[in-house]
Every structure is written in structure tokens, then in C-alpha cells.
Amino acid sequence: MKETGFEDCTMAEDGPNDNPTNELEDSLQNSPIAKCQIPGLEYVLFVKGSGPHSIDYGVAPGAPPKEVIVSRKCAEAVLRGAQVFVPGVMACSAHVEKGDAVAVSVAIEQHGPDGGWAIGMTRGTVLQGLQTDPYYSERYGLYIGQGITKMSRAGIFRVSEGIAVDMNNRVFKLPSFHDVLEGEIFLQNLPSIVAAHALDPQKGERILDMCAAPGGKTTAIAILMKDEGEIVAADRSHNKVLDIQKLAAEMSLTCITTYKLDALKAVRRRNESNDNVTVQSSEPLRFHEEKTFSTVQVLNPEKVRNEIVSNEKENERTYVSKADIRKSNRRMRNGPGRNQCLGGRVENSKGFDPDSFDRVLLDAPCSALGLRPRLFAGEETVGSLRNHAKYQRRMFDQAVKLVRPGGVIVYSTCTINPGENEALVRYALDTYKFLSLAQQVRF
């Protein structure tokens, strides 16, 4: 950490565990890095930041600073100590070269004419740096720090990965752990670590992580199991499953098996086979359709021709939802981003047999109203909050069917919405009154 330039890297000394909470507070006051004093969590280190700090961006009359605008998610990561990576850059001043000092600000989503929320600029926009700039209001008062560019403007919008800006002066100062003990440490919020401990995994057990991406809880469970047993990590996104695989490989964990699977379809239907289908394309259905037509064509070409014409007519009448329209508009403004397949191989699963897991972790997708820092939450409405709760109940129903009698289910969210927390607890107690006898549920 000293090599990265982080100030005062002395670590707090271990002490008695009579009062872990007070001892932790005292440790963090004396050092920015402190060892967790809670029994069972001795492998956890706390890193303390500071802020907000005032920053001189070098603004002078007639000589505005060179600037970079990043996406909201990128800015939230920067506030947690990350660097600015290439995919997060939305706009940049002209004539920015490698090694230039730039002011970094965040673009906040705005309400669009289609009823959704989106960034009001196209990726690659040139910033003029003046108040007459049409995008001046996008960044006014939303600066998050200053950094040194690691590549030119042309390079930032030409490549797909890498560090674009090395943040050396932040509004909130936290150390960057990029390339620090890679594969040996993992950055995570404390509640995520506690969720893995609540599951209490044991060696040799079969455990399901229903919504596993990005894999922090999955790897935490594997470490607690000493990498002995089987952890099935599932997620509905092809790219996120690849992220889980990458993280498990970096941490040399071999007990994790990944699948692409919708948590709402986690229980296998009785008429479905046990075989998992391995695909490499991001559009497997199209592949199977073409294969079917090529096979039938040898037998009856005229019939296949009529079916193709019929399918084309049906496609002309296909209804396009508003959600698809908004997604298409965002892709046109911001480029393909991570919506496209990153390549690599993942296995599709048709689900699992009932009562086939010793423990199930359901870290359900939620409104994330409890995450900090959070720069934007305008997409959530009363209706969307209610929909989150409905989906979580359906996922919970799947978890109950998958855990064996006497097993354990852990349900967790990162929101403060009672409808997604206390209401689900009430639903579970009212719907599954036998759980206290057959299974344990921890919230």
C-alpha cells in the first residue's frame, strides 16, 4: 500500500476482544487499516477513507481545465477507491493526451421523452469546457476528483478495457487496490461477508448461490468451506457468469461450478432431462433454428420454404415492448457496452431437482436502496418497488423447493425497502409454516 502512495499505511495492533465494536473504532482512529476483531472474521481488514476534500481544478478565466465525464456507476466505484476504467468514460475534452491532468465529473441520468432515464449524451462527446458548452449542466457541481490520463482521447474511445484516468486527487480519499495482491484479496462490503457466515457452509456440502454475480459471496462461501464440497453459482447473464468464473480462477477455487440460469426457473420440471446444454454463442436459439431447418430441408424442401415464409410474416407482426425500445435507444446513444457477448463458454442449466442442496443462498435482485455511495435512484417508483417484491417471493418459492429437509436458506438484500425485507419474512412465515420444523431460514 505504501508503494501505491496511500498515506499512513501503519496497521493497528491486535488487542483483546472484550468489546470488538469499541476496539474497532479505536483502531480506525489510529490507523486507516485495521483487523476485524469479531470472532470468526479475523481474516477481514477494514480500510478507512476520508472526505469530502476540496480540490483545486486549476480553473482560470479563458483557460478551462481538461475534463472527463464518467458514467454514474463508474463514479460510484471511484468514490469507493477505484480508478477510472475505459468503459466508464462517456465524454472527454478535445486534445487530451497521455499524462494530462483532467478534472473528472459524473453524468447523471435524466428523464427522457420515452419515459425512461438515460444519460443525455452520446459516448465520445467532445467537451468544450465553457459555460456555453451544451453539456456544462451535466457536470456542474458534480466533480469527484482529479487524475492523470493513462492514454490519449483517441485511445480511450478506441480500446475496450484498461485504465483511462489514474485518480490521484479525490473528493473522498480511499486507496485503489488495483494490482495490489491480485488473487489474494477481494474488496467487499461487510454485510456480504456476514451473509456468507450466516449460511454457515460446511465441508463436503452441496450449496446453491441462486443469484451469484459478481461472485463475492460465492467465493466467500468457498473459502469458509476450505474449497471442499460443491458450490453451484447461477446467474441469468452470460457475461456475469464469465465474471464469476474469472474471479474463482483468480482465487484458485476449484469447488465452484457456474451455470447460466434464471433464478425463477431454478427448479427443473419433471419432463425435462438432466443434461446441461453447453453453448458459446450469445444467441443459441438462432443456432438451433438454423440447424433444424437444414436437417428438415433434405427431407421436404417445399415444406421448409413455406415455414420460413410463414415465420417471416409472423416476425413482421412481432410486438416491440417499450422496454425493448428504451434498450435500443440506450444502445444507440452509448454504444454496445456489455450488452454484447464477451466470448467464452458457459453452461446453460435447465434447473435442479427438488431437495438437492444442503444450503441455498438467495441474495435476491433488489432496488439496492441501501447501497452507499448511491448517486442516482430515480428509476425506482412505487410500482417498481412492488414488482421487486413479487419477483423475490417467486425466487424464494424456488429456494424452498431446492433445499433438502433440515437444510438452510439465507435470504439477503441490499435495500431498505420494507416490502422487500420485512414483507417477505411475513410471507415466508405465513406460507411455509412447516419451515421451523423442516428447514431453517435466516434473513
Side-chain angles (χ1 to χ4, degrees):
M1 293 303 300
K2 290 181 179 179
E3 293 174 359
T4 64
F6 186 50
E7 301 173 357
D8 189 15
C9 289
T10 57
M11 182 171 169
E13 298 292 335
D14 293 341
N17 295 329
D18 295 337
N19 196 330
T21 303
N22 293 340
E23 187 164 343
L24 174 60
E25 295 175 355
D26 295 339
S27 299
L28 289 175
Q29 288 179 357
N30 299 326
S31 170
I33 302 177
K35 186 176 180 180
C36 181
Q37 302 298 325
I38 301 175
L41 295 176
E42 293 84 359
Y43 65 96
V44 176
L45 294 179
F46 293 101
V47 181
K48 181 183 179 182
S50 62
H53 299 279
S54 298
I55 297 176
D56 182 9
Y57 295 98
V59 180
K66 294 182 178 181
E67 300 182 61
V68 167
I69 295 182
V70 300
S71 66
R72 184 254 306 178
K73 290 186 177 180
C74 176
E76 291 174 347
V78 170
L79 293 176
R80 293 193 296 267
Q83 304 290 11
V84 175
F85 288 83
V86 166
V89 179
M90 300 303 303
C92 181
S93 298
H95 310 298
V96 169
E97 301 295 336
K98 181 179 179 180
D100 287 348
V102 293
V104 180
S105 60
V106 53
I108 298 296
E109 288 91 337
Q110 298 178 357
H111 203 270
D114 58 352
W117 295 84
I119 298 174
M121 66 175 67
T122 303
R123 188 171 189 270
T125 298
V126 178
L127 301 177
Q128 301 173 7
L130 302 173
Q131 293 189 13
T132 55
D133 186 343
Y135 297 104
Y136 178 78
S137 60
E138 293 276 348
R139 60 190 185 278
Y140 180 70
L142 296 173
Y143 289 94
I144 57 175
Q146 191 177 46
I148 303 298
T149 54
K150 304 297 287 186
M151 57 184 72
S152 65
R153 172 189 165 82
I156 291 175
F157 296 110
R158 184 186 300 123
V159 300
S160 59
E161 59 184 11
I163 296 180
V165 181
D166 181 7
M167 299 296 296
N168 58 3
N169 197 2
R170 306 165 182 266
V171 172
F172 286 90
K173 291 185 178 180
L174 276 167
S176 171
F177 285 89
H178 179 67
D179 288 338
V180 177
L181 297 176
E182 187 173 359
E184 298 184 46
I185 60 174
F186 183 74
L187 301 183
Q188 198 170 30
N189 291 329
L190 181 61
S192 298
I193 302 174
V194 172
H197 278 264
L199 189 65
D200 192 24
Q202 304 297 318
K203 292 182 180 180
E205 290 185 331
R206 188 169 190 245
I207 296 176
L208 172 64
D209 190 350
M210 293 182 66
C211 305
K217 296 182 180 67
T218 307
T219 53
I221 294 169
I223 292 172
L224 292 176
M225 295 173 62
K226 308 298 183 183
D227 204 21
E228 297 180 19
E230 181 186 7
I231 301 176
V232 176
D235 199 273
R236 63 183 298 178
S237 167
H238 177 279
N239 291 341
K240 289 182 178 180
V241 173
L242 291 178
D243 290 339
I244 301 171
Q245 293 178 357
K246 180 181 177 182
L247 179 60
E250 289 177 353
M251 304 186 73
S252 301
L253 297 171
T254 60
C255 69
I256 298 174
T257 305
T258 59
Y259 293 104
K260 179 182 176 183
L261 173 67
D262 188 344
L264 295 175
K265 303 175 182 178
V267 179
R268 179 185 291 121
R269 298 178 181 178
R270 292 182 179 179
N271 59 347
E272 290 182 343
S273 64
N274 295 335
D275 296 334
N276 290 316
V277 181
T278 303
V279 297
Q280 190 168 2
S281 169
S282 59
E283 297 180 342
L285 293 179
R286 180 178 300 175
F287 170 81
H288 291 302
E289 289 174 358
E290 293 173 355
K291 182 176 180 181
T292 302
F293 286 141
S294 63
T295 303
V296 179
Q297 189 172 0
V298 180
L299 302 177
N300 193 340
E302 187 64 29
K303 180 179 179 181
V304 173
R305 191 179 299 110
N306 294 335
E307 288 181 357
I308 294 175
V309 173
S310 176
N311 288 335
E312 289 179 350
K313 290 183 178 180
E314 290 181 1
N315 291 336
E316 292 177 358
R317 298 191 297 268
T318 299
Y319 170 74
V320 180
S321 66
K322 292 183 178 180
D324 291 335
I325 295 175
R326 290 196 296 269
K327 189 180 297 183
S328 176
N329 291 338
R330 284 197 297 269
R331 188 177 293 114
M332 292 175 62
R333 285 192 299 267
N334 304 332
R338 289 177 58 85
N339 291 327
Q340 304 300 316
C341 176
L342 296 178
R345 184 179 296 273
V346 302
E347 287 193 29
N348 281 357
S349 174
K350 295 182 179 179
F352 308 100
D353 293 328
D355 304 333
S356 59
F357 292 94
D358 298 296
R359 301 172 195 267
V360 175
L361 172 62
L362 174 55
D363 182 47
C366 64
S367 55
L369 298 180
L371 285 181
R372 297 295 183 270
R374 186 86 186 268
L375 297 178
F376 178 76
E379 289 182 336
E380 296 297 343
T381 63
V382 173
S384 66
L385 293 177
R386 290 173 178 169
N387 287 334
H388 282 306
K390 292 179 182 178
Y391 283 118
Q392 289 157 359
R393 291 178 184 178
R394 292 171 59 189
M395 292 180 187
F396 187 84
D397 292 338
Q398 297 281 298
V400 171
K401 295 177 182 178
L402 289 171
V403 71
R404 64 169 176 79
V408 176
I409 302 173
V410 169
Y411 172 83
S412 64
T413 69
C414 54
T415 187
I416 55 176
N417 175 28
E420 301 173 68
N421 295 329
E422 289 85 352
L424 189 131
V425 174
R426 183 172 61 248
Y427 166 80
L429 295 177
D430 292 343
T431 307
Y432 301 101
K433 296 181 180 180
F434 63 89
L435 283 175
S436 59
L437 299 177
Q439 291 128 320
Q440 300 179 49
V441 183
R442 302 171 185 175
F443 299 94

